Amino acid sequence: HEAAQAPRLDELPTVEEHQAQTQGKVSHGIILVDNADLDVPIRFAKCCSPVPGDDIVGYITRGRGVTVHKTDCSNAINGEQERKIKVQWASQDVGSFCAAIKIICYDRIAILGEIATYIGDMNVSIRATSTAVDDKTKLATIRLVLEVKSREQMDKLIRQLQRKPDIVDVFRVTG
């Protein structure tokens, strides 16, 4: 679904709008690349879905520019070291990003609706969902792709969900 993807870089602020922050760096709106000679397309890795506030690293791809990963992403960790490049967030308030969480909860009628309402009340959009129930343990596993503005917003949402009595665990997932 097209709306669930990260914002397009050509829709984001220009280099001039971040000029004060970019001495010796190339700005791609929301990402600063610490290499003034490198001016290539930037995209966000779908494997780890980085959001502003995450620690990130750039990875120079073959023919596709730089892909931004979370520093703890296995693809970034296991990639060729010489292709890694330092990148950083240029701004914390530049739009919304998709990230996934997994919720383990006790299965009961209307639990998914209650969770969805609670997330909506926190001003977070749900972009995708999948659910599975283990009939033996009576636990439901709910995977949600959420549209968030920052890591702080995601962390706050996770902390709030963890406080709910029917929820066993909530954590961020990749891929």
Side-chain angles (χ1 to χ4, degrees), residues 31-53:
I31 298 293
L32 298 177
V33 178
D34 282 353
N35 185 341
D37 297 328
L38 186 65
D39 190 15
V40 297
I42 302 287
R43 64 188 184 96
F44 297 96
K46 292 184 193 296
C47 53
C48 56
S49 301
V51 297

Side-chain angles (χ1 to χ4, degrees), residues 6-173:
R8 289 181 26 183
L9 291 173
D10 60 353
E11 297 171 347
L12 296 171
T14 64
V15 173
E16 292 77 24
E17 293 170 331
H18 289 289
Q19 191 169 15
Q21 297 176 336
T22 61
Q23 297 301 321
K25 299 175 181 161
V26 175
S27 174
H28 292 275
I30 58 171
I31 298 293
L32 298 177
V33 178
D34 282 353
N35 185 341
D37 297 328
L38 186 65
D39 190 15
V40 297
I42 302 287
R43 64 188 184 96
F44 297 96
K46 292 184 193 296
C47 53
C48 56
S49 301
V51 297
D54 285 338
D55 292 329
I56 55 175
V57 64
Y59 192 80
I60 300 171
T61 62
R62 290 185 174 96
R64 297 181 74 188
V66 173
T67 300
V68 177
H69 291 267
K70 289 174 51 181
T71 55
D72 62 356
C73 174
S74 62
N75 290 332
I77 292 169
N78 298 326
E80 298 171 36
Q81 295 299 312
E82 63 274 6
R83 294 173 63 192
K84 290 183 184 175
I85 131 175
K86 186 176 178 185
V87 295
Q88 63 188 18
W89 297 104
S91 174
Q92 293 287 344
D93 189 24
V94 292
S96 58
F97 297 79
C98 288
I101 63 170
K102 190 174 279 188
I103 301 169
I104 311 296
C105 61
Y106 295 109
D107 183 36
R108 64 174 175 75
I109 294 174
I111 188 70
L112 181 59
E114 291 174 20
I115 291 170
T117 299
Y118 188 74
I119 291 170
D121 289 345
M122 293 187 72
N123 203 28
V124 174
S125 294
I126 298 172
R127 292 294 177 196
T129 183
S130 64
T131 306
V133 176
D134 184 330
D135 290 328
K136 291 180 184 177
T137 63
K138 302 297 184 201
L139 290 175
T141 301
I142 303 168
R143 184 183 185 280
L144 300 172
V145 176
L146 305 173
E147 187 175 322
V148 295
K149 292 182 179 12
S150 68
R151 178 177 159 184
E152 289 77 23
Q153 184 182 33
M154 175 66 84
D155 290 346
K156 180 180 178 183
L157 174 77
I158 289 172
R159 282 192 308 273
Q160 295 297 323
L161 286 170
Q162 287 171 333
R163 293 181 183 157
K164 300 293 235 177
D166 286 337
I167 293 179
V168 176
D169 199 6
V170 181
F171 49 94
R172 194 163 161 196
V173 294

